[in-house]
Amino acid sequence: MTFQYKMRPLLRNFGPMLVMFLALIVAFGFYVHAEKQIDRANDLRYRSYLLANQLRQSSDDMTRMVRTYVVTGAPRYKRYFQDIVDIRDGKQPQPKDYQYAYWDRALADAHLLQADRGPAIALLGQMRRVGVTDDELRSLAEAKANSDGLAAIELDAMKLVENVGPDAEANRAKALLMLHDASYHHSKAVIMQLISEVSARMDTRTADAVNTAESHATTFRFVFALFLLGTMIMLWRNRVSLQASKLKY
């Protein structure tokens, strides 16, 4: 029996084997891509949460700075107030790890104010980059506009305490009332309500995106497993055929 005759079973199955191997490689590629899509969906979900929380946090930080300035008159709190506004509007570079309670830490450690900074990008622009929908962006823009309106009241309160003279104490009391009255609290609640509603919508949307990515990955994992099983079966059959040919030989 010639060598060519002995190898005939392998040559006969070469085409199907090649197709199976190619299919296995393609299935593996789709599976790897699907797994990466899960990571991407989770990353966008997390970044969307951080940015929405940053809008809420910036409003709270501005309130804290203006109230502290009115009470103490220390210029740095007015400067910090303006820094928060400028960072949010993309007029100043954003400090490193800004999302993680930056101003809580910076007030206790002034060295953070000289820390590395990233690019100057408006907060709404960052949200657009992570795939926030037009509807969500409109609601967030409305929340920011309301926060900007509240900032105008806060600026007026700071101007009041800067007026020196016999009415200084009366002006300070008036400024404090502006920052604690029912109107101020109502405006603050409107801002937080808008952010909370959008955050809930974003959470649902991004969770659905993660679930969809995971479902696709599961499907491609199953397909890849089938092709792998098929390849192993074909290899086993070829091995059996080759052994049978040896025995005949």
Side-chain angles (χ1 to χ4, degrees), residues 69-228:
Y69 177 72
V70 167
V71 171
T72 66
R76 69 182 182 123
Y77 296 108
K78 182 178 181 180
R79 185 171 67 252
Y80 295 161
F81 176 92
Q82 191 59 51
D83 287 344
I84 295 167
V85 175
D86 290 343
I87 291 170
R88 189 168 71 177
D89 290 343
K91 296 177 181 178
Q92 273 195 42
Q94 182 169 293
K96 183 181 179 182
D97 297 332
Y98 190 66
Q99 302 95 330
Y100 306 114
Y102 172 81
W103 289 107
D104 293 277
R105 295 178 291 123
L107 289 179
D109 182 5
H111 292 293
L112 283 176
L113 299 172
Q114 286 80 41
D116 294 339
R117 295 194 172 224
I121 306 174
L123 183 56
L124 292 181
Q126 294 182 57
M127 291 176 174
R128 191 177 289 108
R129 286 186 174 186
V130 299
V132 173
T133 66
D134 290 340
D135 180 60
E136 292 166 351
L137 199 59
R138 279 193 294 271
S139 296
L140 290 169
E142 182 181 351
K144 181 185 177 301
N146 287 341
S147 182
D148 291 342
L150 196 62
I153 296 174
E154 292 164 343
L155 287 170
D156 287 340
M158 286 191 285
K159 288 178 181 177
L160 265 177
V161 298
E162 291 168 357
N163 292 328
V164 296
D167 296 329
E169 286 305 315
N171 287 336
R172 187 180 303 277
K174 183 178 179 181
L176 284 171
L177 183 60
M178 290 171 60
L179 300 173
H180 292 85
D181 63 12
S183 176
Y184 186 89
H185 286 297
H186 174 74
S187 299
K188 191 81 172 178
V190 170
I191 295 168
M192 297 306 166
Q193 181 65 28
L194 277 169
I195 296 174
S196 296
E197 291 173 356
V198 179
S199 295
R201 298 206 304 270
M202 289 169 60
D203 184 67
T204 299
R205 174 179 58 79
T206 55
D208 289 343
V210 171
N211 291 335
T212 299
E214 289 176 343
S215 177
H216 289 167
T218 299
T219 300
F220 285 121
R221 188 185 303 119
F222 178 72
V223 171
F224 172 70
L226 285 180
F227 279 118
L228 181 61

